[in-house]
Amino acid sequence: MKIAVAGGTGAVGRHVVEHAEARGHAVVVLSRARGVDVRTGAGLDVALAGVDVVVDVTSVPTRSARESRDFFGATTTNLLRSGVPHVVALSIVGIDRAPYDYYAGKVVQEELLAAGDVPWTVLRATQFHEFARQVFENLGFGPLHLAPVMRSQPVAAHEVGARLVDLAEAGPAGRVRDLAGPEVLRMQDMVAAYARARSHRGPVLPVPLPGGFGKAMRDGSLLAGSGADLGTQTFASWLADR
Ligand SMILES: NC(=O)c1ccc[n+]([C@@H]2O[C@H](COP(=O)([O-])OP(=O)(O)OC[C@H]3O[C@@H](n4cnc5c(N)ncnc54)[C@H](OP(=O)(O)O)[C@@H]3O)[C@@H](O)[C@H]2O)c1
């Protein structure tokens, strides 16, 4: 097959590309660094010529609901208008249960796919193991690092990438079973383990975030239910591989 990976240079996108190439598919990477802007549509028609399926793993770093809706609205609309026969998109477990501005855009993305005429597949996944690294790097204040009080079910990005290629190969399926990691962990423990692995000796302080999203982080709204598929790589194993 000829598979386009929108966001193929990102945290999960690079794994989608690796798995697709390893299985012998022809792969086209769509990213601004590769000269294709899925949001504006620049370069999209040429890049998608002859493509059988596009896997959409683009993202925008924002905490603004308007920016997230604008981004996922524009990128999804452009992919749906492109003439590609199948769009596979990666979404996130709990986007419709947790009031978080970024998630507002993911809801728009799912709604556009479901309402459109193009055959589609949506996979929701939980946070990647890399989330602990992002928290460690973004919430450090000298030797002190903060971690939101959160129950997480982290999954290996490479396993999500492999599942997305399975779905691209299988054909349109609508919303499929969620994919989550093999265990539920506290974010403060994940960040502390990540800190230790980097030989960081300062404290990691758990902080309950205010508001509805803070509550969702604590109450399990971001965990997959019993019907989800579970990946196999634990957070500890992922950390040991680093
Ligand atoms: N991170 C998680 O824990 C997690 C969990 C579940 C689901 N997801 C979902 O998975 C998807 C990918 O997340 P990620 O963390 O892998 O993202 P990421 O590492 O931030 O990568 C984003 C990718 O999108 C590309 N991109 C951004 N704007 C673009 C544009 N206008 N046109 C073309 N490409 C563009 C980037 O390349 P350029 O900068 O070169 O354009 C990059 O390849 C997102 O939809 C996210 O909601 C993430």
Side-chain angles (χ1 to χ4, degrees):
M1 296 176 90
K2 188 169 181 184
I3 301 179
V5 185
T9 57
V12 68
R14 68 188 65 140
H15 295 292
V16 178
V17 171
E18 279 168 16
H19 286 289
E21 287 179 342
R23 296 187 201 181
H25 297 296
V27 176
V28 181
V29 173
L30 314 178
S31 89
R32 291 166 299 174
R34 303 290 180 92
V36 182
D37 191 325
V38 181
R39 183 181 198 161
T40 64
L44 199 54
D45 285 351
V46 173
L48 290 180
V51 162
D52 299 300
V53 51
V54 58
V55 177
D56 182 8
V57 282
T58 54
S59 189
V60 60
T62 184
R63 291 192 182 131
S64 153
R66 172 187 280 192
E67 169 66 1
S68 185
R69 283 196 199 98
D70 286 353
F71 178 84
F72 287 106
T75 50
T76 306
T77 300
N78 285 336
L79 292 175
L80 290 173
R81 284 184 184 152
S82 69
V84 168
H86 179 199
V87 178
V88 177
L90 179 61
S91 191
I92 307 175
V93 168
I95 57 165
D96 42 6
R97 296 193 293 263
Y100 182 45
D101 286 339
Y102 176 82
Y103 289 178
K106 300 300 293 181
V107 170
V108 167
Q109 179 183 32
E110 288 194 7
E111 287 175 349
L112 285 170
L113 288 164
D117 295 328
V118 180
W120 56 280
T121 303
V122 166
L123 171 69
R124 288 186 181 183
T126 48
Q127 287 71 46
F128 306 148
H129 292 316
E130 284 83 352
F131 192 67
R133 172 176 55 77
Q134 290 163 359
V135 171
F136 179 81
E137 288 174 356
N138 293 328
L139 294 179
F141 305 91
L144 171 68
H145 286 256
L146 304 180
V149 177
M150 174 180 183
R151 291 164 67 210
S152 184
Q153 197 170 356
V155 64
H158 74 88
E159 294 186 274
V160 178
R163 174 61 58 89
L164 288 166
V165 178
D166 294 342
L167 294 170
E169 291 171 339
R175 169 98 185 269
V176 296
R177 276 202 308 277
D178 297 348
L179 179 60
E183 55 192 356
V184 175
L185 300 173
R186 299 191 310 176
M187 185 54 60
Q188 68 229 51
D189 297 332
M190 292 168 59
V191 175
Y194 181 81
R196 279 196 303 278
R198 283 182 48 158
S199 304
H200 176 82
R201 298 190 183 285
V204 173
L205 200 66
V207 177
L209 295 188
F213 187 57
K215 179 172 177 294
M217 287 175 133
R218 294 188 293 277
D219 72 10
S221 294
L222 303 182
L223 305 178
S226 54
D229 289 332
L230 301 184
T232 58
Q233 189 177 36
T234 62
F235 179 72
S237 153
W238 172 82
L239 204 50
D241 280 355
R242 305 262 80 63

